[in-house]
Amino acid sequence: MSKQPIPLEQLLVHLPLFKDLSPEKLALVVADGLLEVNAPRGSVLYRRGEPCRGLHIVVWGEVKCTFETRDGGEKVLEVARAGQCLADVVSFVDKPHLVTAEALTDSKLVYMPKAKVLAEMERFPEVARAMVGVLSSRLVDLVSELENCTLRTGKQRVIRYILKHLPQHAAGTQKAVFLPAKKSIIASQLNLTHEHFSRILRDLATAGLIDVRGRQIMISDIATLQARL
Amino acid sequence: MSKQPIPLEQLLVHLPLFKDLSPEKLALVVADGLLEVNAPRGSVLYRRGEPCRGLHIVVWGEVKCTFETRDGGEKVLEVARAGQCLADVVSFVDKPHLVTAEALTDSKLVYMPKAKVLAEMERFPEVARAMVGVLSSRLVDLVSELENCTLRTGKQRVIRYILKHLPQHAAGTQKAVFLPAKKSIIASQLNLTHEHFSRILRDLATAGLIDVRGRQIMISDIATLQARL
């Protein structure tokens, strides 16, 4: 059975950057200058320090954005998923890439050269507004990450991470959190070694605060966990 | 001698957000809906958690953006100066303020309600482009701050901070860095106590790497200092 490729418009209509465009306008955006990028698992989209000439947006898949730490380790800044721009939206300030971007799974992205982004922002104020919204969201995420840095202990950072990933619609006291990435990646995001992260999860489980089943974490009582922060 | 107030246009013409506007367009922006805010030293512009309904831009002065750490301390996210938007540009994502903003010196700001920003972005693509540039710059700063967090030792963070504040045009091996804020504020930005920060500066001086004179720091040899990172 042969698969029909999905038209790019259908992939893009849900992306935050284009969601306010009418189908007619979106077709105009797609018609010219937008590149599809297929990134097989493990492939590197760009490396830190390379010139940044446009915007990468994840259509599907997972892209890990990292920088090297001084001791030769790798710090995961984030894992970008469907709809997200890659973390270092630096094409507008003429700086090189701040992170290295690598596909964690087979991924599809669209790439918009800087000139195309600016032209579409000028043609369609919806895109300009959405771009500002996307950048603002990224800023909020980064400030929250920075706040995490000021938490002294690894245990505090882990508890905060778990609470942050509670489903928003959840109600009652017992809640399930599904870890959105592999434990080694989350550990890196929290400035912890994999072993330290696992030990903290075990300690929290032993204390009866959580129950860990693979990537699923059941919180026995949210208020009690919050009190440990 | 009476002082004539400086027309708002003259104050705004150098701000990154408006610098690409012609004088005629800038006059239109200023004519309606832009508020001047005079913030005496020590006054609080807004507190973390309060609703964010617009954009604050510093015209002159210094505004400290902070959040509380879990142990009741204060973490300085940044000190915003002339031309900068305050750190938490969150008005576009309908989130409350992420930081508390307090004037460190008598300061003047302009405040643009969200609706006004969006309207000007639509009317003048120059403003939309500049807004994206401003937000991108903030992102770059925050990623750099985050990178600092992953540096393990306080000494590494201090060295990186000093090197980052080297004048770009400087040449030769001996360089002067003027610390852009009081030591207590820089210490907080680097997640250090004031005492720890001072001790590190003394240690670096004793090692012959730097020479500290008030807020001026002379670097004996940049390469040697870099090697300590």
Side-chain angles (χ1 to χ4, degrees):
Chain A
M1 198 173 77
S2 75
K3 281 190 191 171
Q4 285 293 102
I6 303 168
L8 203 48
E9 284 96 323
Q10 284 186 32
L11 296 176
L12 300 187
V13 68
H14 301 295
L15 298 186
L17 199 54
F18 303 121
K19 69 175 170 32
D20 294 332
L21 285 178
S22 66
E24 296 72 28
K25 290 178 176 175
L26 184 58
L28 288 171
V29 171
V30 170
D32 175 45
L34 206 61
L35 297 179
E36 278 185 68
V37 180
N38 291 303
R41 176 179 172 170
S43 61
V44 170
L45 285 150
Y46 52 77
R47 290 186 192 280
R48 182 185 161 97
E50 288 177 0
C52 174
R53 302 199 177 92
L55 198 65
H56 285 88
I57 309 167
V58 182
V59 177
W60 72 61
E62 292 183 337
V63 178
K64 183 176 71 166
C65 296
T66 60
F67 46 79
E68 257 187 45
T69 56
R70 281 279 151 189
D71 53 6
E74 182 188 78
K75 157 80 181 165
V76 179
L77 184 62
E78 69 149 17
V79 178
R81 295 190 171 76
Q84 291 188 293
C85 295
L86 297 193
D88 59 336
V89 192
V90 292
S91 47
F92 298 95
V93 283
D94 296 319
K95 298 231 176 189
H97 279 296
L98 300 169
V99 296
T100 296
E102 180 191 329
L104 280 182
T105 61
D106 291 349
S107 303
K108 184 187 274 291
L109 298 94
V110 285
Y111 173 76
M112 285 176 85
K114 178 180 176 177
K116 164 89 173 164
V117 180
L118 293 176
E120 297 302 353
M121 281 173 49
E122 182 150 356
R123 181 157 65 153
F124 301 126
E126 299 94 321
V127 174
R129 267 201 306 275
M131 189 71 207
V132 167
V134 164
L135 289 168
S136 303
S137 293
R138 298 238 53 106
L139 273 175
V140 171
D141 292 345
L142 285 175
V143 171
S144 163
E145 285 277 315
L146 262 175
E147 215 172 339
N148 229 2
C149 277
T150 67
L151 296 178
R152 298 283 161 79
T153 72
K155 186 178 280 185
Q156 288 176 325
R157 297 203 291 276
V158 172
I159 292 176
R160 191 168 187 278
Y161 185 90
I162 293 172
L163 291 172
K164 195 176 135 189
H165 285 81
L166 268 176
Q168 293 199 325
H169 58 273
T173 54
Q174 184 168 321
K175 302 286 189 331
V177 171
F178 187 75
L179 296 180
K182 281 197 297 187
K183 284 179 188 163
S184 58
I185 286 176
I186 295 172
S188 170
Q189 284 184 285
L190 299 175
N191 291 331
L192 298 169
T193 62
H194 190 170
E195 295 70 31
H196 191 182
F197 181 56
S198 296
R199 193 166 64 242
I200 290 170
L201 288 180
R202 273 201 307 278
D203 289 350
L204 292 173
T206 307
L209 293 166
I210 59 170
D211 187 28
V212 184
R213 292 172 202 172
R215 273 163 73 169
Q216 172 134 319
I217 293 183
M218 300 294 295
I219 304 174
S220 313
D221 185 68
I222 292 174
T224 315
L225 192 61
Q226 260 163 345
R228 295 295 181 100
L229 257 184
Chain B
M1 199 173 75
S2 74
K3 281 189 191 171
Q4 283 294 102
I6 302 168
L8 202 49
E9 283 95 322
Q10 284 186 33
L11 296 176
L12 299 187
V13 69
H14 301 296
L15 298 187
L17 199 54
F18 303 121
K19 68 176 171 29
D20 294 332
L21 285 178
S22 66
E24 295 73 27
K25 289 179 176 176
L26 184 57
L28 288 171
V29 171
V30 170
D32 175 43
L34 206 62
L35 297 179
E36 279 185 67
V37 179
N38 291 303
R41 177 179 174 173
S43 60
V44 171
L45 286 150
Y46 52 78
R47 291 187 190 280
R48 182 185 161 98
E50 289 177 359
C52 174
R53 304 201 174 91
L55 197 66
H56 285 88
I57 310 166
V58 182
V59 177
W60 72 59
E62 292 182 337
V63 178
K64 183 175 72 166
C65 297
T66 59
F67 46 80
E68 257 188 44
T69 56
R70 280 279 151 190
D71 54 4
E74 181 189 80
K75 158 79 179 166
V76 179
L77 183 62
E78 68 150 17
V79 178
R81 296 192 171 74
Q84 290 188 293
C85 295
L86 297 193
D88 59 336
V89 193
V90 292
S91 48
F92 299 95
V93 284
D94 295 318
K95 298 229 177 192
H97 279 297
L98 299 169
V99 295
T100 296
E102 180 191 331
L104 280 180
T105 61
D106 291 348
S107 303
K108 183 187 275 290
L109 297 95
V110 284
Y111 173 76
M112 285 177 86
K114 179 181 176 177
K116 163 90 173 165
V117 179
L118 293 175
E120 296 302 354
M121 281 173 49
E122 182 150 357
R123 179 156 65 155
F124 301 126
E126 299 95 319
V127 174
R129 266 202 307 276
M131 188 72 208
V132 167
V134 164
L135 288 168
S136 304
S137 292
R138 299 238 53 108
L139 273 174
V140 171
D141 292 345
L142 283 176
V143 172
S144 163
E145 285 277 317
L146 261 175
E147 214 171 341
N148 230 3
C149 276
T150 68
L151 295 177
R152 297 282 161 80
T153 72
K155 187 178 278 184
Q156 287 176 325
R157 297 203 291 275
V158 172
I159 292 176
R160 189 167 188 279
Y161 185 90
I162 293 172
L163 290 172
K164 196 177 136 191
H165 285 84
L166 268 176
Q168 294 199 325
H169 58 273
T173 54
Q174 185 167 320
K175 301 289 187 333
V177 171
F178 187 74
L179 296 181
K182 280 197 297 187
K183 284 179 188 162
S184 57
I185 285 176
I186 295 172
S188 170
Q189 284 184 286
L190 298 175
N191 290 331
L192 297 169
T193 62
H194 189 173
E195 295 70 32
H196 192 181
F197 180 56
S198 296
R199 193 166 65 241
I200 290 170
L201 287 180
R202 273 199 308 276
D203 289 350
L204 292 173
T206 307
L209 293 166
I210 60 170
D211 187 26
V212 183
R213 291 172 202 172
R215 276 163 70 168
Q216 173 134 317
I217 293 183
M218 300 295 296
I219 304 174
S220 313
D221 185 67
I222 291 174
T224 315
L225 192 61
Q226 259 163 349
R228 295 294 181 102
L229 257 185

